[in-house]
Amino acid sequence: MTDLLLTGVRAWGFGPAPTDIAVSAGRIAAIGADLPRDGAEVVDGTGCLALPGLVDAHAHIDKTLWGTPWHPHQAGPTLIDKIDNERRVLNTLGLSAEVQSARLLRHMVARGTTHVRTHVDIGPDVGLSHFHGIQAMREAHREWIDVEVVAFPQTGVMIRPGTLDLLEQAVREGAEVVGGLDPVGVDRDPKGQLDGIFAIADRHGCGVDIHLHDRGDLGAVTIDMIVERTRALGLKGKVAISHAFCLGMLDRPRLDGLLDDLVELDIAVMTHAPSGPTPFPPIRLLHDRGVRLFSGSDGVRDTWGPLNTGDMLERAFLLAYRSGFRHDPDIEIALRMATYGGAQVMGAAGYGLAVGAAADLVLVEAETAAEAVAFHPVRRLVLKRGRVAARDGRATMPAAA
């Protein structure tokens, strides 16, 4: 029995002809023309493109200022400036990670996001308080969005004694991934940080996701060390490098060697197409070489900057724009980073626009995927496991108790 029938949509990957999508028991039951209605609720999708749910696979939802009064940006230019400013502001405001993340998630769902990987601050100054807030928020919203947690050492690892123990405790309590941060640039001890983080992953079978802002050969050497540990511990397919600015700065022979290693060990690379003159990985080249690529919002209206919006179609636009993409197939690379790429990194079971997949779907008024990215229009309809989570850019899912 069909519960919901989307009629007359263009399904991404199924050609330009209008088709129907039948949803039953939270899954896609059929995709085809003129499907029987069987008493289902019918949604006229004429003029809309159907996409799988958008995936924000690099966010920091515990630290957003979303829903609070406007806070002018005050941080200095360096990474440490931004970290120190963040700590001052958050200590002054005294915001709840649970409340703030819930505010942002409703907004993200309204823009079609159905899966989020969020880096959550762990460290001696905050302990596990942010993590416990996100756990509570995740449980309250589990019917409406899938949330994966990275235990993230925002203030460093080796320079903050006790951080490794806290990261491991977060993994014991349910964090799926252990994170790291600039083993050279922040900690000045790449061996110590990486050995500690990879040991946690080895003991608990969790994933690894390292923030790597260090540029040029400094970043490249760090990738060499990540590769070495991934290979030695048999963690193929479980490691990601976020930002990896250095990949946009290396000469071709050095870059080719690193890409060979990334492909061999299925180490994924995240870029959010940073603003300004910041280098970032050459997306088209990495895609053509077979590197797993994904993307995310990074921080959304937080102390690091006010401009990110939590809209993954807009993020795909920025990826394409900064990469100089104009042809439809290139623009679709950016969209895949905001959908299938992130879902694969998260290990999202049953994801995609296919019969039998979870009915996590987004309808937008567009003829093609490239047009959806170019104009990132209001999301007409968002489904999570076949249930309506948002209409016309507004979340309709019930507020968490």
Side-chain angles (χ1 to χ4, degrees):
M1 177 67 99
T2 299
D3 301 323
L4 183 68
L5 186 66
L6 309 178
T7 62
V9 301
R10 300 179 181 91
W12 184 28
F14 286 79
T19 190
D20 299 343
I21 301 176
V23 174
S24 178
R27 295 196 169 272
I28 298 174
I31 301 175
D34 301 319
L35 294 179
R37 302 198 172 195
D38 291 336
E41 177 186 352
V42 177
V43 174
D44 182 3
T46 301
C48 288
L49 178 74
L51 301 170
L54 303 175
V55 181
D56 192 329
H58 185 102
H60 293 269
I61 64 175
D62 59 316
K63 302 185 291 188
T64 183
L65 303 180
W66 197 267
T68 68
W70 181 257
H71 185 87
H73 185 66
Q74 300 170 336
T78 71
L79 180 71
I80 298 302
D81 288 339
K82 292 178 173 62
I83 293 171
D84 290 345
N85 176 69
E86 174 189 86
R87 270 19 199 184
R88 285 193 299 270
V89 172
L90 293 182
N91 286 337
T92 299
L93 295 179
L95 301 175
S96 160
E98 179 179 358
V99 171
Q100 288 306 114
S101 60
R103 287 173 170 171
L104 180 56
L105 276 188
R106 289 186 66 85
H107 166 77
M108 295 167 89
V109 168
R111 273 132 187 90
T113 294
T114 59
H115 298 72
V116 174
R117 170 182 277 193
T118 184
H119 297 254
V120 177
D121 281 12
I122 307 288
D125 59 335
V126 297
L128 298 180
S129 61
H130 284 220
F131 173 64
H132 291 151
I134 296 301
Q135 279 187 310
M137 180 281 304
R138 169 161 72 171
E139 177 60 25
H141 293 83
R142 61 188 174 87
E143 296 299 321
W144 300 102
I145 190 165
D146 291 329
V147 178
E148 182 179 70
V149 172
V150 182
F152 176 55
Q154 177 67 87
T155 55
V157 180
M158 309 310 291
I159 60 173
R160 299 283 184 255
T163 297
L164 279 172
D165 291 337
L166 288 167
L167 292 172
E168 186 156 20
Q169 185 61 35
V171 170
R172 288 194 189 102
E173 293 187 21
E176 291 86 357
V177 183
V178 60
L181 172 67
D182 292 333
V184 178
V186 170
D187 267 354
R188 307 295 182 186
D189 184 359
K191 184 179 186 303
Q193 183 185 134
L194 292 174
D195 282 352
I197 287 168
F198 274 85
I200 293 171
D202 187 38
R203 285 193 291 269
H204 298 280
C206 65
V208 175
D209 192 334
I210 307 287
H211 278 60
L212 183 59
H213 306 93
D214 289 336
R215 304 185 181 193
D217 198 55
L218 195 64
V221 170
T222 304
I223 292 178
D224 288 333
M225 297 180 73
I226 292 170
V227 164
E228 178 184 24
R229 286 154 179 78
T230 302
R231 183 181 287 119
L233 295 175
L235 293 176
K236 180 177 180 178
K238 300 189 72 171
V239 176
I241 303 172
S242 288
H243 300 303
F245 297 153
C246 64
L247 294 179
M249 306 176 70
L250 304 174
D251 62 48
R252 187 58 183 266
R254 181 69 164 117
L255 178 59
D256 283 342
L258 289 179
L259 298 188
D260 288 342
D261 289 335
L262 296 179
V263 172
E264 176 200 343
L265 296 169
D266 193 16
I267 296 174
V269 172
M270 189 291 303
T271 182
H272 70 299
S275 61
T278 305
F280 67 104
I283 291 171
R284 181 57 194 262
L285 174 61
L286 269 63
H287 170 270
D288 290 348
R289 289 290 299 274
V291 176
R292 190 183 302 279
L293 295 169
F294 67 108
S295 189
S297 295
D298 206 15
V300 177
R301 202 186 149 220
D302 58 13
T303 65
W304 291 67
L307 298 180
N308 290 347
T309 67
D311 182 339
M312 287 306 294
L313 275 185
E314 181 181 72
R315 181 60 48 190
F317 167 87
L318 293 171
L319 290 165
Y321 185 86
R322 288 222 61 201
S323 298
F325 293 163
R326 289 175 171 80
H327 296 97
D328 284 16
D330 292 340
I331 295 172
E332 289 195 42
I333 292 172
L335 181 56
R336 287 192 172 274
M337 291 173 64
T339 52
Y340 289 99
Q344 289 164 354
V345 167
M346 288 180 62
Y351 175 89
L353 195 53
V355 173
D360 297 342
L361 300 171
V362 182
L363 295 189
V364 294
E365 293 185 8
E367 293 183 33
T368 66
E371 184 182 12
V373 171
F375 293 101
H376 38 280
V378 171
R379 311 308 106 93
R380 171 84 72 81
L381 186 74
V382 180
L383 300 182
K384 181 63 181 177
R385 299 186 187 95
R387 300 169 66 190
V388 176
R391 290 182 188 274
D392 298 322
R394 300 183 66 86
T396 58
M397 62 189 197

